[in-house]
């Protein structure tokens, strides 16, 4: 019967130290951590390791449930997997202990609110994009490139390096947008730091 800690932050520039300290103080003998989005469980190798390793009588400890999952479905799947293995879930900053009926009910409520918050954030983002488009100032993500403009410039004889410079994008993006059959000159194969 051991305590296994799991810590997560969404981006590489975020710090795990507060979570790690809290998990250590909670008595976790093993702590796994990762820097990856919590919007899905896909690709979260450290979480998968914990869930594969945890056994009967063990407790998975997190600081808050949003460190574990951002969607109610994922959270419920994790809790079901823990229960099937005879393990429980505890959060150090929230009154969650799936070993008790009250703790399980509170977990379900927090899961609903975490998913609701994620959905609200997504709606606000979409509203902001719609307003920016209406005002004519939306530029989109860095990967949104006018393929027609790239092809037009290439059709005028401009090479990929020059197109990339003119449009302020990477040469790899230009190559992706050009038709596969288009011949690329040797001059356009130079590294980006070598001027044409």
């Amino acid at each position: 019967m051991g305590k296994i800690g799991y810590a997560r932050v969404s981006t590489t520039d975020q710090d795990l130290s507060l979570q790690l300290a809290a998990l250590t103080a909670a008595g976790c003998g093993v702590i796994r951590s990762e820097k990856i989005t919590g919007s899905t469980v896909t690709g979260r190798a450290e979480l998968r390791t914990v869930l594969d390793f945890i056994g009967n009588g063990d407790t998975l400890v997190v600081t808050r449930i949003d460190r574990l999952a951002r969607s109610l479905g994922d959270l419920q799947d994790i809790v079901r997997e823990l229960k099937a293995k005879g393990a429980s879930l505890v959060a150090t900053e929230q009154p969650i202990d799936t070993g008790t009926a009250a703790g399980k009910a509170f977990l379900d409520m927090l899961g609903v609110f975490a998913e609701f918050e994620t959905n609200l954030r997504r709606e606000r983002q979409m509203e902001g994009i719609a307003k920016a488009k209406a005002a004519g100032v939306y530029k989109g993500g860095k990967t949104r490139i006018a393929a027609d403009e790239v092809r037009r410039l290439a059709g005028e004889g401009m090479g990929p390096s020059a197109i990339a410079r003119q449009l302020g994008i990477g040469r790899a993006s230009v190559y992706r947008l050009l038709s596969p059959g288009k011949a690329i000159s040797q001059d356009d194969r130079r590294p980006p730091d070598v001027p044409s």
Side-chain angles (χ1 to χ4, degrees), residues 1-7 19-33 46-47 49-55 58-62:
M1 292 177 48
K3 291 184 176 181
I4 301 169
Y6 175 74
Q19 289 181 62
L20 297 175
L23 295 172
T24 300
C28 296
V30 174
I31 300 173
R32 305 297 292 215
S33 64
E46 294 301 322
L47 176 60
T49 298
V50 168
L51 293 175
D52 289 344
F53 177 77
I54 204 161
D58 289 338
T59 303
L60 172 58
V61 183
V62 293

Side-chain angles (χ1 to χ4, degrees), residues 91-113:
T92 62
E93 297 177 16
Q94 297 162 325
I96 294 170
D97 181 348
T98 59
T100 68
K104 176 70 169 77
F106 193 74
L107 172 72
D108 288 342
M109 287 188 297
L110 283 180
V112 168
F113 288 120

